[in-house]
Amino acid sequence: MKQLSDWENNKGINFLKKAGIKEDYKVLDFGCNNGNYSIPASKIIGENGRVYAIDNNSYALEILKEKAKLLPYKNIKTVNNNGNLNINLKSNYIDFVLLYDILHYLKLENRKTLYQEIYRVLKPNSILSVYPKHIIGNMPLMEFTDISLRELINEIENNGFEFIIKICSVLSHDEHLEEGCIINLRKRE
Ligand SMILES: C[S@@+](CC[C@H](N)C(=O)[O-])C[C@H]1O[C@@H](n2cnc3c(N)ncnc32)[C@H](O)[C@@H]1O
């Protein structure tokens, strides 16, 4: 609990700034759960920014809504997509997408649909940031039992993105903090 409040107030903010989130940004947090990344993002983007926090777990979204009431800015919009990968946002609209610890839930065909939707909603040259948990070497799980980081990067690059950087840091995973790495990919024009 103490670890997480340190995350929301300090470490998470510093990490997301390093990842590239800036004031006034429109951020899409796809698979946000109870908001361990949406909350620090809200504090960076400020009153003119917006976090679109999408998940299919209504219980987790209720927790996020309660936490969001205590935040300085009312800039988080929670959306229950019922698992639908078609994102209800206009094209070329979003400045930064978080796809953290979710891809292992999705089969290849569904991951491709999601990359295409993210490509559509992101502004040109903007960033898709991925926390690739549960790949080979990191407790492989579900759809990621046989995929390496290199293969995952190739897969995303084949859907209109270009790998830019890998950033390693203390990260929030489930309800604790641990060392991990995210990758940033830029939307190619
Ligand atoms: C392991 S959690 C990661 C939460 C958060 N991104 C983080 O890193 O703290 C994965 C989340 O993805 C959500 N999820 C899985 N498939 C989804 C889908 N098709 N649409 C929306 N959310 C989905 C789950 O409900 C869960 O909340």
Side-chain angles (χ1 to χ4, degrees):
M1 210 59 178
K2 191 159 173 240
Q3 262 201 338
L4 274 184
S5 85
D6 186 31
W7 171 258
E8 289 173 359
N9 294 320
N10 297 300
K11 293 192 171 98
I13 295 175
N14 291 337
F15 161 69
L16 288 177
K17 281 184 178 169
K18 200 161 126 191
I21 294 183
K22 297 187 170 67
E23 196 173 349
D24 295 346
Y25 264 22
K26 295 188 193 73
V27 174
L28 167 60
D29 185 4
F30 193 94
C32 60
N33 197 265
N34 59 14
N36 287 334
Y37 289 90
S38 292
I39 302 261
S42 159
K43 295 181 180 178
I44 299 171
I45 61 176
E47 60 183 346
N48 297 320
R50 181 75 103 158
V51 179
Y52 296 91
I54 297 182
D55 208 286
N56 60 358
N57 178 335
S58 43
Y59 177 69
L61 289 174
E62 282 310 314
I63 295 175
L64 171 52
K65 274 191 217 168
E66 285 305 309
K67 290 202 279 186
K69 285 182 187 162
L70 305 174
L71 291 173
Y73 309 111
K74 306 296 163 225
N75 56 12
I76 300 182
K77 180 174 167 52
T78 55
V79 178
N80 188 337
N81 68 343
N82 296 309
N84 190 338
L85 302 173
N86 296 311
I87 300 168
N88 192 14
L89 289 171
K90 54 190 176 191
S91 302
N92 299 314
Y93 176 68
I94 294 289
D95 295 293
F96 199 95
V97 174
L98 295 163
L99 211 47
Y100 280 7
D101 189 18
I102 173 182
L103 283 174
H104 59 286
Y105 282 76
L106 305 175
K107 292 186 192 331
L108 176 59
E109 195 185 317
N110 292 335
R111 295 200 296 276
K112 282 186 182 165
T113 303
L114 186 56
Y115 301 143
Q116 285 159 14
E117 273 295 271
I118 289 170
Y119 185 92
R120 182 183 64 75
V121 299
L122 260 178
K123 292 177 182 169
N125 292 312
S126 294
I127 297 295
L128 163 59
S129 188
V130 180
Y131 185 11
K133 284 298 290 179
H134 309 301
I135 52 178
I136 292 175
N138 183 249
M139 302 178 287
L141 255 187
M142 296 158 95
E143 304 301 331
F144 272 8
T145 44
D146 58 358
I147 197 164
S148 67
L149 180 59
R150 189 60 254 177
E151 286 166 332
L152 183 65
I153 290 173
N154 288 345
E155 177 182 299
I156 303 173
E157 286 196 320
N158 288 338
N159 284 276
F161 295 88
E162 178 191 12
F163 172 71
I164 306 270
I165 194 171
K166 176 175 168 184
I167 300 172
C168 299
S169 171
V170 168
L171 296 173
S172 161
H173 177 233
D174 296 335
E175 296 307 308
H176 63 273
L177 302 187
E178 63 182 42
E179 283 291 332
C181 301
I182 60 97
I183 51 173
N184 278 358
L185 299 103
R186 186 181 59 81
K187 171 178 171 174
R188 275 199 237 108
E189 289 199 66

